[in-house]
Amino acid sequence: MADPNPWFRVYPPEIRDHTEFDQNVGPKRMPPRNSRPIAYFMLIFTMDLMKKFVLETNRYARNFITRNQHNISNKSRVHDWHKKGKLTLIEFKAFVAVILNMGLIKKATISEYWNRKHSSQSTPWFRKVFTRNRFQLLLKFLHLVDNRKIAPRNSPSYDPTAKFKPIVDHFNLKAKKTLFSVSKPVD
């Protein structure tokens, strides 16, 4: 016959772990409470990371254009890269702002953010920050690593995460160092 009450307490509330820790746990090095949201964003998305994006995006664009110059159509927006110039740090910050706003304002396609047809659904802010073509070029060339330093697909040392691993490693390191510290029990 089955037990009518199969549930039982595994860890009774009377038994508590009284381990003492040698540190306070929780957020570390936080901005003051009245700080603007950008201060919190900059804890993780640092200037060094943004400069790395700018450097590698410009490198990739230059290499792509050089490597494909004979195959690029005369009508291709890639030619606009030289007209507008290299990506700058200020422009990259604007690019990140546009990407974050795209997460808040949902549209079916990227082009719709620059659409002027439906005035009730128009989002002129996007057009003020970038032309659609410039934004799409930045998106096309966005890079964080130098492709020449990545093993090709047919190589035994190929790593499918190589292109995004640096940003994951950066965020993990920043989270550990800036936001939280590991607390160890006192012996």
Side-chain angles (χ1 to χ4, degrees):
M1 184 163 168
D3 186 358
N5 188 4
W7 303 103
F8 59 93
R9 194 173 296 191
V10 177
Y11 296 109
E14 300 79 27
I15 300 174
R16 299 197 197 292
D17 184 8
H18 293 290
T19 306
E20 293 184 29
F21 292 90
D22 64 350
Q23 301 179 35
N24 291 330
V25 295
K28 304 290 181 201
R29 300 177 197 95
M30 297 301 286
R33 284 188 176 273
N34 60 348
S35 296
R36 296 176 64 198
I38 190 70
Y40 293 92
F41 178 77
M42 294 298 292
L43 285 173
I44 300 291
F45 214 90
T46 63
M47 279 297 187
D48 288 340
L49 180 63
M50 287 190 268
K51 287 177 182 176
K52 181 79 170 160
F53 266 111
V54 169
L55 173 76
E56 295 303 336
T57 298
N58 286 325
R59 180 192 326 265
Y60 179 71
R62 183 181 62 245
N63 291 344
F64 178 90
I65 292 167
T66 301
R67 206 174 45 249
N68 296 294
Q69 62 187 339
H70 300 296
N71 301 326
I72 299 172
S73 159
N74 289 339
K75 296 180 180 181
S76 173
R77 71 175 57 118
V78 170
H79 296 293
D80 291 343
W81 187 264
H82 292 299
K83 292 176 191 170
K84 180 69 176 162
K86 293 179 180 180
L87 174 64
T88 64
L89 185 59
I90 291 170
E91 193 177 33
F92 180 73
K93 288 178 182 180
F95 178 81
V96 171
V98 168
I99 294 289
L100 292 174
N101 272 283
M102 286 177 164
L104 299 173
I105 302 167
K106 304 287 186 189
K107 303 267 184 168
T109 66
I110 288 177
S111 295
E112 284 187 27
Y113 290 96
W114 282 265
N115 192 344
R116 297 173 188 258
K117 289 182 182 175
H118 306 289
S119 62
S120 65
Q121 297 173 353
S122 178
T123 48
W125 178 83
F126 291 92
R127 290 189 302 275
K128 289 177 184 175
V129 179
F130 287 109
T131 64
R132 183 200 66 216
N133 285 356
R134 180 63 175 180
F135 178 80
Q136 287 182 322
L137 266 180
L138 295 177
L139 197 56
K140 174 184 183 64
F141 293 138
L142 185 66
H143 263 69
L144 184 58
V145 295
D146 184 349
N147 283 352
R148 296 172 299 181
K149 296 180 181 175
I150 297 175
R153 286 183 189 256
N154 57 355
S155 169
S157 60
Y158 172 69
D159 179 2
T161 67
K163 288 196 178 196
F164 65 86
K165 191 173 184 314
I167 198 164
V168 172
D169 292 345
H170 171 83
F171 287 160
N172 284 337
L173 181 65
K174 281 301 189 182
K176 286 177 187 172
K177 287 187 172 184
T178 307
L179 299 179
F180 300 99
S181 65
V182 178
S183 186
K184 298 176 184 171
V186 176
D187 294 329

